[in-house]
Amino acid sequence: AQSVSQHNHHVILSEAASLELGCNYSYGGTVNLFWYVQYPGQHLQLLLKYFSGDPLVKGIKGFEAEFIKSKFSFNLRKPSVQWSDTAEYFCAVNKTGTASKLTFGTGTRLQVTL
Amino acid sequence: EPEVTQTPSHQVTQMGQEVILRCVPISNHLYFYWYRQILGQKVEFLVSFYNNEISEKSEIFDDQFSVERPDGSNFTLKIRSTKLEDSAMYFCASSEAWQASSYEQYFGPGTRLTVT
């Protein structure tokens, strides 16, 4: 069965600090990988996705993630966070080559202070 | 930009009552999904729907749940006899196609269901 682990449950950073949120997955096959963000009071929005090719993917708002197959990881990074990045971040996977169900991690709440 | 919409935003119901949650997927999308998030827990898959039938469902999606696409635009989730543990945020999502170049699922804003 698929599973996703997000080790950081709550992260507090000052503005301009660098961000790295961990995501590890377990799945008996190749996967599509996603990071979704949920701003307070808003719906889930896609930050970035990996299907194949270059393991370093760039998303919206300056976010990027690197797929490391040997580590089953897809960590999210941003060099300099802004107060507006305060949100909950979810890593998700599904079976590669399909639009099958997403399996989500538990989420990481990011709080950026001024 | 096209978006998935859901109604109502908040539904309060008594235990044992039936509820119907409504979703309008993005118009050219063919795959539809329901997920739920119990407060403080992860987002969980309930069911996926394609070509007027269920394509996949989770263990959560028991006989109390059903889905329907009654009119070609709405996609509904019915809970026949609600339980306290059904209280959650329910998200609808849609996807363009199974083998499209993009497998992104677009999510709606959610319906918060409170069962009392």
Side-chain angles (χ1 to χ4, degrees), chain A residues 12-113:
Chain A
I12 303 173
L13 293 173
S14 300
E15 245 193 354
S18 65
L19 169 73
E20 181 160 3
L21 301 182
C23 172
N24 289 90
Y25 69 92
S26 172
Y27 182 67
T30 50
V31 296
N32 300 320
L33 295 153
F34 306 84
W35 276 97
Y36 282 87
V37 61
Q38 188 174 30
Y39 297 103
Q42 297 189 27
H43 60 279
L44 288 162
Q45 301 172 42
L46 184 69
L47 267 182
L48 47 77
K49 59 196 175 192
Y50 172 82
F51 297 141
S52 63
D54 189 344
L56 183 62
V57 292
K58 295 191 184 299
I60 61 172
K61 305 188 181 186
F63 286 91
E64 65 178 32
E66 185 176 11
F67 170 50
I68 303 179
K69 190 174 180 181
S70 60
K71 295 184 179 180
F72 299 94
S73 70
F74 190 56
N75 292 354
L76 181 71
R77 300 194 291 249
K78 186 171 183 179
S80 176
V81 295
Q82 300 174 311
W83 179 78
S84 57
D85 293 324
T86 295
E88 186 134 21
Y89 292 81
F90 296 92
C91 182
V93 302
N94 70 357
K95 183 178 176 182
T96 195
T98 72
S100 64
K101 67 178 183 183
L102 288 168
T103 299
F104 284 86
T106 50
T108 297
R109 183 173 299 280
L110 172 65
Q111 184 179 347
V112 180
T113 60

